[in-house]
Amino acid sequence: MACLPSPRRAGALAGGVVLVAAAACAPEYRPTWLGGTGGGAGSTFSRGGGAFSGVLLTARTFVDGVAVTTATFHVNDMSRARIGVDFNRDGQVDPVVAYGGTRGVIQILLSQGGAGRVGFVNLTLDGGENAWKNLADVAVGDIDGDGNLDLIGASQDGLIYLRHPSAPSRTHVLSEWGHDRGALELLAGSTDTLSPDEQFAIVQQNLGPLVNLDNYEITVEQGYTRVVIADFDNDGRNDVAASRRLRMNLEPAPGKNVEPLAIIAGSIQVLFNPGNARTGEGWTATIVSQHERHAMSDREGAAGLFAADLDGDGDLDLVSLARDDVNVQVAWFENPGGPGRVDPSVPWTQYRIGSIRRGFGLEVADLTGDGRLDVVATSPEQKQMVLFVQPSTGPKRTYDWFSTPIATFESFEPLDVKALDVDADGVLELIVGGSGGALRAFESPADPTTTWTARVITTFNPPGNVGLIGYGDLDGDGDLDLLAVVDAEDNLNDRLMWVRNELIP
């Protein structure tokens, strides 16, 4: 399994079968490399004459790219040191991309060839017609304890378990991914729907106790939005945590003169592995963001999710971004176990980190160098990137961390963010993708709570939203390259780009 370069100040960070595309060497692609100023542009990011170059991995067969995954974690590593995804154990990173829509698709880009001559085979997995609807995320980790990396997908249908074939040499055999019976495997506890009583409680909470439900016809849309794989109960086996989004549409009943309404809510679940699970059976699900009256409406517009030992007590907590919550958009949930087993009936305690308008990107890393994990979030609506600094131990950690904008954007909206040491100087940069094809690096000043220095990596042309960023040493030269999903206005220009790191000779 390929280990990613580890920065000195990084801290703890955070089926069916359709087709096989023939392997080919990735062609050179010429994006527009810009200098200039304004809107977080800054000067071009270069070291020793080197910069970044673009390589087109695939002009996308599918549209609606929703997730890119290039890293995973050892099950017993509480520091969450990132490991390059490597399905066939050849030492090379194998990126995974998920595509949403009415028919979800997961692609594995299986690396071929040695350093300097890397190509990829596209392995494409789907669940068949009308399956994996609104696929929103994919995570990689060893679920069944056999040493091979499996996949968990987050969809409207539930949490999809795609178990790796029996041996690394079988990675490319698409028909062997999933259950031995070939059945669509969904984790137990992830397919539950709201009861009428829970629906009523959510409506009352949001609209008041006097609302007359006879005036409305209610439809419920729900599905998973983010998923992470980690050992939350310290039993040496990977569990799963996922955020779930809920939307309730209240349309006027025939003959009723009322306005249509919509309620957006959400929750976080942790699903405990029954023991090197080979199927979706026997998993125990618990609601982390438990509301006092019902189980589905604590996290409004649940979006980002990150597992880390935030309080340093030897177990993994969760950091969450709730995009539509105006009060507690960024929060963390304390694992009640640590470092022993977790009783699923014991609630996780929620602590408020702070607010940011309709936050999009979420990252967790020690950005201030004090040994404690901080949180950074981006807001395309606010057009800022905000740093939330974790206080020292004690009551201050539990409510409203110190926050400060470390970048304000003018010419594009910030989307995804990753904390990476791309120039191998021992200090983390913040890599930000944005609208208009923007991909930028932000370097920390002496005081990380002040404005960070913007450097241009590239501006893709044709442009598009760079809302998904991956990373890894794709060419085996010892540094971190980047992956960018470019979501263009014209679907013909949607593409997956490898941004090769040439900063280090």
Side-chain angles (χ1 to χ4, degrees):
M1 190 177 291
C3 291
L4 304 182
S6 177
R8 293 193 299 274
R9 212 186 72 181
L13 299 181
V17 183
V18 253
L19 60 91
V20 182
C25 293
E28 284 291 332
Y29 182 81
R30 298 292 181 184
T32 302
W33 309 98
L34 298 179
T37 58
S43 59
T44 301
F45 194 179
S46 61
R47 293 284 187 275
F52 292 86
S53 63
V55 179
L56 177 66
L57 291 187
T58 176
R60 298 206 319 236
T61 306
F62 308 96
V63 297
D64 299 324
V66 292
V68 58
T69 301
T70 51
T72 185
F73 309 90
H74 284 307
V75 65
N76 58 353
D77 181 9
M78 288 295 107
S79 72
R80 303 294 277 171
R82 297 179 286 195
I83 305 297
V85 168
D86 182 5
F87 290 102
N88 56 4
R89 303 191 203 177
D90 65 352
Q92 298 177 185
V93 176
D94 305 318
V96 181
V97 187
Y99 301 91
T102 56
R103 180 174 179 171
V105 170
I106 296 174
Q107 279 191 329
I108 298 172
L109 278 69
L110 194 65
S111 181
Q112 306 286 301
R117 52 186 182 87
V118 178
F120 295 87
V121 171
N122 292 345
L123 308 180
T124 302
L125 304 161
D126 79 354
E129 199 67 34
N130 297 320
W132 306 2
K133 291 186 297 293
N134 296 321
L135 181 69
D137 196 16
V138 61
V140 179
D142 183 7
I143 299 294
D144 58 0
D146 66 353
N148 299 318
L149 293 177
D150 309 302
L151 298 169
I152 300 289
S155 76
Q156 177 181 312
D157 302 315
L159 295 173
I160 306 152
Y161 179 16
L162 285 169
R163 190 169 58 82
H164 191 287
S166 56
S169 61
R170 308 291 292 175
T171 297
H172 65 287
V173 185
L174 300 181
S175 61
E176 296 183 12
W177 280 85
H179 195 280
D180 295 332
R181 300 189 304 265
L184 175 61
E185 204 66 40
L186 299 174
L187 297 189
S190 72
T191 59
D192 300 337
T193 57
L194 287 178
S195 69
D197 288 343
E198 288 174 320
Q199 292 183 32
F200 181 70
I202 292 172
V203 171
Q204 280 198 319
Q205 178 201 355
N206 286 272
L207 302 182
L210 300 180
V211 63
N212 185 357
L213 293 185
D214 292 335
N215 291 331
Y216 299 95
E217 293 181 347
I218 302 176
T219 58
V220 179
E221 302 170 6
Q222 58 187 20
Y224 288 92
T225 56
R226 291 291 179 268
V227 59
V228 295
I229 296 173
D231 180 14
F232 292 102
D233 57 2
N234 291 309
D235 66 352
R237 302 179 181 95
N238 269 322
D239 309 302
V240 172
S243 59
R244 195 173 191 177
R245 185 178 185 271
L246 168 74
R247 180 184 175 94
M248 299 181 67
N249 297 305
L250 287 75
E251 296 293 334
K256 302 298 183 180
N257 186 23
V258 291
E259 292 293 323
L261 301 170
I263 298 171
I264 299 175
S267 65
I268 301 171
Q269 280 183 309
V270 174
L271 298 96
F272 293 103
N273 192 330
N276 292 334
R278 295 174 62 86
T279 72
E281 300 171 357
W283 290 69
T284 303
T286 183
I287 301 291
V288 169
S289 53
Q290 181 72 54
H291 193 272
E292 59 268 21
R293 292 193 300 277
H294 50 81
M296 279 299 297
S297 70
D298 183 77
R299 303 261 73 199
E300 295 183 26
L305 193 63
F306 202 101
D309 184 6
L310 205 67
D311 51 3
D313 65 351
D315 60 22
L316 291 176
D317 311 299
L318 286 167
V319 182
S320 169
L321 180 67
R323 189 166 295 171
D324 298 301
D325 187 347
V326 297
N327 183 42
V328 195
Q329 277 134 328
V330 187
W332 73 280
F333 297 82
E334 184 180 8
N335 189 328
R341 298 293 297 274
V342 176
D343 182 348
S345 66
V346 177
W348 294 48
T349 304
Q350 174 178 324
Y351 298 111
R352 170 176 164 144
I353 291 176
S355 293
I356 185 170
R357 289 204 308 274
R358 291 192 61 79
F360 189 98
L362 175 73
E363 179 67 298
V364 179
D366 179 14
L367 297 174
T368 56
D370 59 5
R372 295 188 295 271
L373 291 173
D374 308 303
V375 175
V376 65
T378 62
S379 167
E381 183 175 295
Q382 196 169 312
K383 299 189 79 170
Q384 285 186 320
M385 180 165 58
V386 176
L387 172 64
F388 299 89
V389 180
Q390 183 178 169
S392 58
T393 57
K396 291 183 179 179
R397 176 185 279 157
T398 64
Y399 189 82
D400 277 347
W401 296 4
F402 170 77
S403 64
T404 180
I406 55 175
T408 298
F409 301 84
E410 299 172 5
S411 58
F412 65 89
E413 298 173 351
L415 299 171
D416 199 9
V417 57
K418 293 289 186 291
L420 304 168
D421 184 11
V422 293
D423 57 0
D425 66 350
V427 179
L428 292 172
E429 289 80 43
L430 290 172
I431 309 300
V432 177
S435 60
L439 186 60
R440 303 289 187 265
F442 288 81
E443 296 184 294
S444 176
D447 179 359
T449 64
T450 58
T451 301
W452 287 44
T453 302
R455 306 292 189 201
V456 171
I457 294 177
T458 185
T459 301
F460 291 106
N461 187 23
N465 290 335
V466 185
L468 302 170
I469 301 172
Y471 51 86
D473 185 6
L474 270 69
D475 52 6
D477 65 354
D479 56 25
L480 284 176
D481 305 306
L482 303 174
L483 282 173
V485 178
V486 184
D487 184 8
E489 290 185 7
D490 179 356
N491 289 339
L492 296 178
N493 288 314
D494 289 350
R495 57 202 184 275
L496 178 65
M497 294 296 303
W498 168 13
V499 185
R500 179 181 283 152
N501 188 342
E502 298 174 349
L503 294 173
I504 306 165

